[in-house]
Amino acid sequence: MHSKELNDRSPLRLLEQSIHGGLGRGNVGVVVAQAGMGKTAFLVGVALDDLMRDRKVLHVALDEPVDKIRDYYDEIFMDLARTSGLEDIGNERLRVERNRNIHTYFGNTFSIAKLREAIAFLRTHMHFDPQTLIIEGYHFAGATGADLEALRRIAQEIDGELWMSAVADRHSPMDERTVPEPVAHLAAAFDVILSMQPGGGVVHLHLLKDHDNPEVSDSHVALDPTTLLLITE
C-alpha cells in the first residue's frame, strides 16, 4: 500500500463528505471523548494525514513532553504501516519527521501570545510555515468564547486548520447528538465538533456540529480501535 491509499482510509475522507469539504482553513475543530478513548491517536492521525501529503504540522501539547509526543507518532505510524502494508516505510517516516514540529507547555505556561511567538520563530528562523495546528491538553473548563476566538485568529493567520481534543466530563451525557461538557458551553466557538465512543469492538466517530448547518448528518464512522483508520470490508 502506498501513502495515498493510506490517506484514503483516513476517517477524514468520510468526514469531508459529511461536513461539506472538511474543517476548512481558518476554522477550529474539536474531538471529545472519555479519557483513554484515543483522542491523541485521532489527532496524530489527523496530523499524519497532512504530513504524508507534505503539509506542515505544528503539534502543541500542554501536558506531555516532546519525547512522549514523538513516541505517539512513532507508535501510531508503525501500527499504520504494519496493518496497512505501507511500502517504503523509511522514506515515509522521513517525510513525517521533516514536515512536523512539536512544542510543549507544562503547567500553566501556555498562552496565546507564546503560541503566536513560537509560530513566528518557526517561520522566520526555520522556514517552517505550519498549515495545520494541533493542540491537545487544553483546559476547556475555564475557557471562554474570547479564548477560542483568539485561537481562531491564529488559525486564520496561518491560513490553516486548528484541531483540538477535550476530555468529556464523566457526569455529562455522551450520545450521538449531545455535545458534552467541557465543550458544550463553548459549542458556538467551534466549527466542527466530533465525539468518540466505543461499541461493538470498534470506535464510533460521531459528528455533533457541522459549521452553521442546522441539520447535522446522522452518519457515523466506524474506526479500527488500534489504528483509528476506517474499517473496510
Side-chain angles (χ1 to χ4, degrees):
M1 180 179 286
H2 297 283
S3 59
K4 181 183 182 301
E5 297 171 77
L6 191 58
N7 286 123
D8 288 342
R9 285 192 61 201
S10 167
L12 295 179
R13 298 293 80 74
L14 282 185
L15 286 173
E16 285 167 355
Q17 299 174 27
S18 299
I19 57 181
H20 306 89
L23 178 57
R25 295 178 180 180
N27 292 330
V28 183
V30 63
V31 57
V32 58
Q34 299 288 352
M37 270 303 303
K39 295 179 296 300
T40 296
F42 177 81
L43 291 181
V44 169
V46 169
L48 287 171
D49 186 70
D50 278 330
L51 293 167
M52 296 174 74
R53 296 168 185 265
D54 283 321
R55 290 171 56 86
K56 306 293 186 185
V57 175
L58 173 59
H59 190 125
V60 176
L62 275 59
D63 295 318
E64 303 282 5
V66 170
D67 288 347
K68 190 165 185 178
I69 299 301
R70 187 178 292 116
D71 288 344
Y72 279 136
Y73 274 88
D74 290 343
E75 180 180 351
I76 293 168
F77 175 82
M78 291 309 299
D79 278 342
L80 294 176
R82 284 193 297 266
T83 59
S84 304
L86 181 66
E87 298 178 15
D88 204 2
I89 292 176
N91 281 336
E92 291 299 337
R93 193 167 185 171
L94 286 174
R95 188 204 302 258
V96 168
E97 294 283 345
R98 181 175 64 247
N99 291 319
R100 180 198 66 204
N101 202 286
I102 301 170
H103 278 221
T104 59
Y105 298 86
F106 289 103
N108 296 314
T109 61
F110 174 80
S111 70
I112 302 297
K114 287 182 179 179
L115 178 58
R116 185 172 278 110
E117 289 172 3
I119 292 173
F121 180 88
L122 289 173
R123 284 175 153 174
T124 302
H125 299 286
M126 300 180 65
H127 307 292
F128 186 97
D129 286 292
Q131 296 160 288
T132 299
L133 179 58
I134 305 286
I135 300 180
E136 62 169 330
Y138 189 80
H139 301 291
F140 289 100
T144 66
D147 295 327
L148 269 294
E149 183 57 33
L151 288 171
R152 177 189 299 279
R153 284 196 293 272
I154 290 182
Q156 293 169 343
E157 288 166 11
I158 67 171
D159 192 27
E161 298 181 344
L162 167 56
W163 281 99
M164 309 177 75
S165 65
V167 179
D169 187 322
R170 60 191 181 93
H171 299 299
S172 195
M174 286 287 291
D175 57 48
E176 298 179 12
R177 289 296 183 186
T178 305
V179 178
E181 289 293 3
V183 172
H185 73 286
L186 296 167
F190 293 101
D191 299 283
V192 171
I193 301 176
L194 306 172
S195 72
M196 298 173 65
Q197 299 176 46
V202 302
V203 174
H204 298 280
L205 187 65
H206 297 283
L207 178 62
L208 302 182
K209 182 179 180 183
D210 175 10
H211 297 277
D212 292 325
N213 296 306
E215 297 296 328
V216 177
S217 171
D218 61 0
S219 62
H220 73 274
V221 179
L223 307 180
D224 182 295
T226 299
T227 64
L228 293 186
L229 288 177
L230 291 171
I231 293 177
T232 56
E233 299 294 334

